[in-house]
Amino acid sequence: MSAHRDDPNLIRFALHGGAGELPADAGPQDEQRRALHDIAAEAVALLQAGGSAVDAVSLAVERLEQCPLFNAGIGAVLNRDGLPELDAAIARGEDRGTGAVAGVSRVGSPIRLARAVMERSPHVLFSADGAEALARQLGLPMVDPQSFIIPLRLEQLAAAKRSGSIALDHVDAAAAAPDAAFGTVGAVARDRRGHLAAATSTGGLTNKLPGRIGDTAVFGAGTFADDSSCALSCTGTGESFIRAAFGQAVHGRMRWGGMSLADACQAALDDVRQLGGVGGCIAIDRDGTICLPFNSGVLFRAWWSADGGAISTAVWRDAAMPQTAPVP
Ligand code: ASP
């Protein structure tokens, strides 16, 4: 692979809308699959027109933040005080650039702010008030925290408080309502020049303690990109993904252990499980291999490869479940 060619055949793209558990009779999840499909199509068109991997993952995650079907931006889950506290990160494989924000409640698009941190600040990670001050200073759109809140999340918070749990959105949503909004969002891309990028955005966990930060915002855990190995975006029990140093573990196994992307992701996911976590990731390696592994019941996902034709979408692991393109 050359990182300097301009070749449309190098393009790869994948995105996710969270991992979790759904009852087997929950149906094909058409609304979510349609949203993932259409956003993936927009990102792929941008890549084909010469857009960078960073442009593609930013666009896709910003669109997903605006979509109330997922746990990011509008529709994000709520902390113990009933507020959305949003985390987001972006990673650029070309030079290991990264930018992240944690615990923001007033920034219209957390992923836009994360990208601004990467491109327009001397730092890589901002939190809460300081992150929001930076957003204002950079002229990014600010919103009322209430504008992120949808009724389902208030119901989930009330249920979590009744049971005294701090719930992964997707597991809780599955138990409460099979058609409920679902998980964290993320995207990975390889562009026409062979550069990789990843982006992730989330509301985190329902009923989380104020100030809690998950793996999404942590480079080398839930979000990672390096052109020498892979780009990846995770979803699941953030504490376990941080303790597993998920992104860095996959990178290290590929770089110095000679493992394939699939084996490296599986080993890192095994580690997450040993640490008590569930979830999955979407990943693309430097050679264009796409892997979408998970140890939970479902992973909402869509992917496209320059050699593969149509955009595919899937929810379940089991091929017998209704889960492949075309989306109705
Ligand atoms: N990983 C996210 C977090 O722990 C949650 C998720 O993927 O839904 O903040």
Side-chain angles (χ1 to χ4, degrees):
M1 185 212 72
S2 161
H4 303 289
R5 284 197 347 240
D6 180 7
D7 179 355
N9 293 315
L10 293 179
I11 297 173
R12 302 285 185 277
F13 183 77
L15 54 75
H16 72 79
E21 309 296 334
L22 280 183
D25 61 356
Q29 304 295 303
D30 285 342
E31 208 183 346
Q32 285 86 347
R33 289 171 57 225
R34 164 58 67 192
L36 294 176
H37 176 280
D38 291 353
I39 291 168
E42 213 183 324
V44 167
L46 187 146
L47 288 164
Q48 287 170 326
S52 70
V54 167
D55 289 337
V57 296
S58 316
L59 172 88
V61 169
E62 194 173 334
R63 292 279 189 273
L64 287 161
E65 286 175 341
Q66 299 306 313
C67 176
L69 294 171
F70 303 101
N71 171 20
I74 298 169
V77 301
L78 306 175
N79 73 7
R80 191 190 57 186
D81 295 344
L83 277 177
E85 283 189 321
L86 311 176
D87 302 340
I90 192 161
R92 181 174 60 208
E94 191 176 352
D95 62 351
R96 270 214 202 205
T98 187
V101 295
V104 293
S105 304
R106 292 178 178 76
V107 178
S109 169
I111 198 63
R112 265 177 84 176
L113 179 57
R115 184 171 179 175
V117 167
M118 177 171 78
E119 294 179 341
R120 300 167 65 189
S121 92
H123 306 302
V124 298
L125 173 58
F126 283 77
S127 73
D129 291 350
E132 291 177 355
L134 180 71
R136 276 191 204 93
Q137 193 186 316
L138 295 177
L140 297 183
M142 306 300 288
V143 297
D144 186 319
Q146 297 298 322
S147 68
F148 292 122
I149 301 178
I150 62 172
L152 169 72
R153 301 312 192 188
L154 293 166
E155 288 162 27
Q156 286 180 333
L157 178 61
K161 284 189 167 182
R162 274 196 303 275
S163 64
S165 64
I166 297 172
L168 263 178
D169 159 59
H170 24 269
V171 173
D172 185 50
D179 295 321
F182 242 66
T184 289
V185 305
V188 288
R190 187 173 74 161
D191 63 27
R192 295 169 61 123
R193 290 180 180 74
H195 295 308
L196 298 169
T200 318
S201 185
T202 189
L205 307 181
T206 300
N207 202 24
K208 65 184 180 182
L209 298 182
R212 179 264 187 190
I213 297 169
D215 60 312
T216 295
V218 180
F219 180 83
T223 308
F224 180 82
D226 186 320
D227 279 3
S228 72
S229 59
C230 66
L232 62 83
S233 166
C234 299
T235 171
T237 325
E239 283 72 8
S240 303
F241 281 80
I242 291 174
R243 291 167 67 206
F246 193 95
Q248 178 62 27
V250 172
H251 171 72
R253 285 186 170 97
M254 294 179 73
R255 279 299 302 274
W256 304 296
M259 270 194 196
S260 67
L261 178 67
D263 288 348
C265 286
Q266 194 51 56
L269 265 186
D270 291 347
D271 201 21
V272 165
R273 191 189 283 284
Q274 281 213 321
L275 292 164
V278 292
C281 76
I282 56 170
I284 299 174
D285 75 10
R286 50 176 287 178
D287 298 321
T289 303
I290 299 176
C291 287
L292 313 160
F294 53 105
N295 63 16
S296 47
V298 297
L299 174 66
F300 282 77
R301 57 204 190 275
W303 66 99
W304 186 85
S305 167
D307 50 18
I311 289 167
S312 299
T313 65
V315 176
W316 278 273
R317 167 191 317 287
D318 181 351
M321 300 298 279
Q323 63 171 342
T324 52
V327 177

